[in-house]
Amino acid sequence: MIVVLLGPPGAGKGTQAARLAPMAGLTHVSTGELFRAHLRSGTDLGARAKAYMSRGELVPDSLVVEMVRDCLADGEGHVLDGFPRTVAQAEALDAMTAERLIVAVISVPQDKLLTRLTGRRVCHEGHVYNIVTSPPTHAGVCDVDGTPLTQRDDDTDAMVAFRLDVYARETAPVLAYYEATSRLLRVDGDGGADDVHQRLLGAIESAGATVPSVVGGASD
Ligand code: AP5
């Protein structure tokens, strides 16, 4: 099974994928996080992606699709967070796997997206916090690995506004792509992360799929 999480920047795709993947025995694949890891490692792919990410633009389809193809090659189940983001990527995903796709879009009012993104703090391993809704135990330090928390370069007011425009222009048509084949599940992402998690599980089950819990029924 492949679960695809769609939604604008700040909708909570990463937060929900990080909860869903371990309980469902699926691998969490965040294309944004993969690019940031390439950047930290100084790879050619990281350098090419940076040129686009630093402007809030989408990385070209060809680079993203090959990266995701490599991830899916293990034949395991996955939660895709941040992919597909264009209709061309959605078509490529359909062509590259015979696995059943469960596609869910998480929706959140625009003003809340802005608050969530400007309050986000991350550590270098990608653990995510929010100074308002989910602060770390000690300000500025990751609970998991003790490293400093920083703000993502693309989480400034101006960059967030630009990324939301890119989403409306490039990614909103992906919703229509899945809706046309009755594959789109809608999840209300407004509310606490636990509530959204339960709504997401309900939506997945409504599509006739079951999410086996490998952690004794815990929700996170
Ligand atoms: P990426 O890293 O994927 O960024 P994004 O899609 O803009 O999504 P975000 O990570 O900003 O938000 P999210 O929905 O995961 O929210 P989160 O859970 O963190 O992509 C970055 C860049 O990489 C792109 O701009 C592009 O350049 C490139 N890229 C990536 N994929 C690509 C692709 N397929 N094609 C082309 N280019 C690509 O939550 C946000 C905040 O809200 C956190 O602080 C969190 O704690 C908080 N929060 C979460 N849920 C809740 C809740 N229920 N209540 C309150 N607060 C919450």
Side-chain angles (χ1 to χ4, degrees):
M1 176 168 74
I2 294 176
V3 177
V4 173
L5 295 183
L6 302 174
K13 303 180 295 296
T15 299
Q16 294 303 324
R19 287 168 179 243
L20 178 65
M23 73 173 291
L26 303 172
T27 303
H28 178 182
V29 175
S30 160
T31 44
E33 204 48 53
L34 286 173
F35 284 132
R36 285 186 286 275
H38 273 281
L39 196 54
R40 288 193 295 271
S41 308
T43 68
D44 179 54
L45 178 58
R48 292 165 76 184
K50 184 186 178 192
Y52 300 92
M53 294 171 77
S54 63
R55 296 194 295 265
E57 295 171 2
L58 295 185
V59 176
D61 291 336
S62 56
L63 297 181
V64 188
V65 167
E66 289 317 307
M67 188 174 73
V68 172
R69 194 191 305 280
D70 286 348
C71 290
L72 299 191
D74 60 12
E76 304 291 330
H78 296 83
V79 181
L80 297 183
D81 154 17
F83 180 92
R85 257 178 155 98
T86 64
V87 171
Q89 291 179 18
E91 290 170 346
L93 178 60
D94 274 341
M96 81 172 76
T97 180
E99 289 275 337
R100 181 178 178 198
L101 297 188
I102 305 282
V103 184
V105 57
I106 304 173
S107 303
V108 174
Q110 185 126 338
D111 57 327
K112 293 193 178 169
L113 295 176
L114 198 62
T115 311
R116 285 187 186 186
L117 289 170
T118 52
R120 176 165 56 187
R121 299 293 182 270
V122 295
C123 81
H124 76 300
E125 290 294 331
H127 298 116
V128 178
Y129 300 85
N130 190 286
I131 55 175
V132 179
T133 58
S134 54
T137 307
H138 302 289
V141 179
C142 178
D143 289 348
V144 181
D145 50 40
T147 56
L149 299 179
T150 57
Q151 187 171 31
R152 268 172 48 176
D153 292 344
D154 58 355
D155 276 348
T156 60
D157 281 355
M159 287 285 281
V160 166
F162 185 80
R163 286 162 61 209
L164 289 170
D165 280 351
V166 170
Y167 178 81
R169 199 169 56 243
E170 310 260 6
T171 308
V174 176
L175 309 187
Y177 175 84
Y178 287 116
E179 206 149 42
T181 45
S182 305
R183 290 185 288 173
L184 188 67
L185 304 170
R186 292 188 179 273
V187 175
D188 177 3
D190 191 6
D194 289 341
D195 291 338
V196 178
H197 176 71
Q198 292 305 323
R199 287 178 208 146
L200 176 60
L201 293 183
I204 292 172
E205 284 170 12
S206 76
T210 51
V211 179
S213 172
V214 294
V215 289
S219 62
D220 54 10

